[in-house]
Amino acid sequence: MKTTVAAVDFGTSKIVTLVAENSGNQRCDIIGAGVAPYDGFLSEGWNNPEQVNNAIRESVKDAEEQCGSKIHEINVGVPGTFTKVFATRVTVPLKGTDPRVSANDVQNAFRLAAENLTELPGVVIHSSPAWFMVDSGKKTLEPVGMKGRELVACISFVVGDRFFVDDVSNRMADLGIAVTGFYSTPAGEAMLYMSEQERDRTSVLIDIGYLNTEIIGVEGDAIIYHENIEYAGGRITAELAEKLDITMAAAEDIKRHFVYGIETDGETYQVAAADGEKGTSFSRDQVKPVLYGAVDELAGMIREKLDDFGGLGNWSSVFMTGGALSFNRGGREYLGGKLGKAVLETPRRTTKLNSHSFSSALGLMDLIIDTLEQQHQPSTGIGGKVKGFFRSLLGG
């Protein structure tokens, strides 16, 4: 039986609507995609509120035309800018003559952890465990059935900003579309592009978008650290445009074609002129200090956040995605050199929309499909994975 799912991802430069089919033969087949540029947002809110509804409408319309059906219900991704991550530890005593962890003990751990959030503003949109531990033993995500005296858990909650949740709900209602759920876009992205082994070692995903850069620290099935830096691809383009006295469009074209770390004699970048006038040519020596300086500044900010996180070891992996630097030859390696740690490319998880600029939208859809699948399966937590049990506790 096929299930059709629609989702909308709000990026800082574009809104992406995806429609996917989920069937026994194929877990997630993208059958419609709509992309609409807009002015995005910063932490204070929309940069151009009057523009948002039209951008949503355009994105949804394009997706509808591709999939051949009308979208009446949609799932919404909450961007990292409008979320806070809270990771909390709780302890549950195990009872009985032969005490072993039960599904009820796991549920009690989530209940106790949720009680720590009672004074926090916002809406819980995601909950997941970083790890469980029985009697100071090894960390695990499958504690049910283990024998011991106490269960210790580290559980993470992603709390969505009430402004974003209410505002998008109202905007969708104005367009005649019902919101069926809100999901954490960073959580979906991290779970899709990091393997279980990499997450177990505590790893980081750096998403460099157009208006902001997200630092997502992950352990187990949970985000345990998340920070936004309001400095990303758009700022780099703006600095190049200002220094060379050219348009943003011309600066973006130069930035996209720039190669980091590989010097070529006589390399130039052409900027076409309007009205038949002679164009302008810039040498690599003119472009290089501007781009290197901007990326160096961003790298310094990222390094400060990674130091603040403090959860990385020599065994941890750092990945990079987003459209700002991933398209440049040598960009990932250059950033890694500035961070003092190898930066890896996120793996391709789909043959459709496999560009880094769509990683957040694809991660969001994967999280939605995974959650819906788990909610329709029995999740007792006995004798196997209990991920669905975790997600069912707080609805995603």
Side-chain angles (χ1 to χ4, degrees):
M1 179 179 177
K2 289 184 179 180
T3 302
T4 302
V5 179
V8 59
D9 171 45
F10 290 86
T12 54
S13 64
K14 64 184 180 300
I15 296 175
V16 179
T17 299
L18 297 181
V19 181
E21 282 186 348
N22 179 24
S23 66
N25 296 327
Q26 191 161 1
R27 180 176 179 275
C28 182
D29 181 24
I30 304 297
I31 60 173
V35 181
Y38 76 137
D39 292 339
F41 51 81
L42 292 173
S43 57
E44 295 81 10
W46 307 110
N47 292 324
N48 188 348
E50 292 76 18
Q51 179 193 47
V52 177
N53 276 25
N54 285 336
I56 296 173
R57 184 182 293 108
E58 180 183 343
S59 175
V60 169
K61 180 182 177 182
D62 287 350
E64 288 175 334
E65 289 178 352
Q66 286 189 26
C67 71
S69 63
K70 190 77 173 173
I71 295 175
H72 299 287
E73 297 181 340
I74 203 162
N75 298 278
V76 176
V78 183
T81 297
F82 298 111
T83 65
K84 295 290 184 182
V85 172
F86 300 93
T88 183
R89 295 190 185 191
V90 294
T91 301
V92 177
L94 304 177
K95 301 177 181 179
T97 56
D98 183 29
R100 295 178 182 272
V101 179
S102 67
N104 189 57
D105 294 320
V106 174
Q107 189 169 17
N108 285 337
F110 270 82
R111 179 181 54 79
L112 291 172
E115 290 175 359
N116 294 337
L117 304 181
T118 53
E119 301 301 321
L120 296 173
V123 181
V124 175
I125 58 173
H126 187 80
S127 61
S128 50
W131 48 262
F132 294 93
M133 189 165 32
V134 178
D135 291 351
S136 301
K138 292 183 178 181
K139 293 179 180 179
T140 181
L141 285 175
E142 301 178 38
V144 174
M146 296 180 66
K147 185 176 181 178
R149 290 295 175 182
E150 66 176 17
L151 172 68
V152 181
C154 178
I155 297 173
S156 169
F157 297 87
V158 181
V159 179
D161 187 282
R162 176 65 71 178
F163 155 76
F164 181 87
V165 171
D166 290 345
D167 186 77
V168 172
S169 294
N170 292 333
R171 290 179 184 276
M172 289 297 177
D174 290 343
L175 299 176
I177 302 174
V179 175
T180 54
F182 286 91
Y183 293 80
S184 167
T185 300
E189 195 173 10
M191 295 304 113
L192 177 61
Y193 291 106
M194 293 184 187
S195 68
E196 289 187 16
Q197 183 180 22
E198 287 155 347
R199 299 198 306 268
D200 286 344
R201 294 195 299 255
T202 307
S203 296
V204 164
L205 177 64
I206 301 170
D207 186 341
I208 308 176
Y210 188 71
L211 295 181
N212 66 25
T213 297
E214 294 187 58
I215 315 297
I216 308 168
V218 181
E219 184 176 7
D221 279 346
I223 296 178
I224 59 173
Y225 178 86
H226 181 273
E227 284 290 338
N228 277 298
I229 301 171
E230 291 188 345
Y231 191 116
R235 179 73 173 272
I236 297 173
T237 302
E239 293 196 15
L240 188 62
E242 180 182 357
K243 295 292 185 181
L244 301 184
D245 192 24
I246 57 178
T247 66
M248 285 287 287
E252 180 68 25
D253 185 64
I254 292 175
K255 186 190 75 173
R256 283 292 182 99
H257 289 89
F258 186 80
V259 177
Y260 289 84
I262 302 175
E263 301 298 332
T264 304
D265 292 337
E267 183 178 353
T268 59
Y269 301 88
Q270 304 295 324
V271 175
D275 302 326
E277 296 181 5
K278 185 178 180 180
T280 306
S281 176
F282 296 96
S283 69
R284 181 176 176 85
D285 288 341
Q286 290 175 289
V287 173
K288 176 181 173 180
V290 182
L291 291 182
Y292 273 36
V295 175
D296 289 354
E297 185 174 356
L298 175 59
M301 297 177 185
I302 294 172
R303 190 165 55 247
E304 288 181 4
K305 297 300 183 182
L306 294 180
D307 290 343
D308 179 58
F309 173 36
L312 297 180
N314 294 330
W315 54 86
S316 301
S317 299
V318 176
F319 293 86
M320 184 182 77
T321 189
L325 200 57
S326 298
F327 296 115
N328 294 89
R329 286 180 57 198
R332 182 168 46 81
E333 292 81 3
Y334 183 80
L335 179 64
K338 292 299 175 178
L339 297 179
K341 194 170 184 66
V343 175
L344 308 175
E345 182 180 13
T346 54
R348 298 289 193 264
R349 297 299 194 197
T350 177
T351 57
K352 297 179 181 179
L353 303 175
N354 62 6
S355 166
H356 290 289
S357 61
F358 292 103
S359 59
S360 62
L362 292 173
L364 170 64
M365 180 59 81
D366 186 74
L367 176 63
I368 294 167
I369 294 290
D370 190 37
T371 302
L372 295 177
E373 285 180 345
Q374 298 293 348
Q375 288 176 347
H376 288 85
Q377 294 176 4
S379 301
T380 62
I382 305 290
K385 296 282 186 181
V386 288
K387 185 182 296 184
F389 173 68
F390 301 144
R391 288 186 176 159
S392 68
L393 295 177
L394 286 172

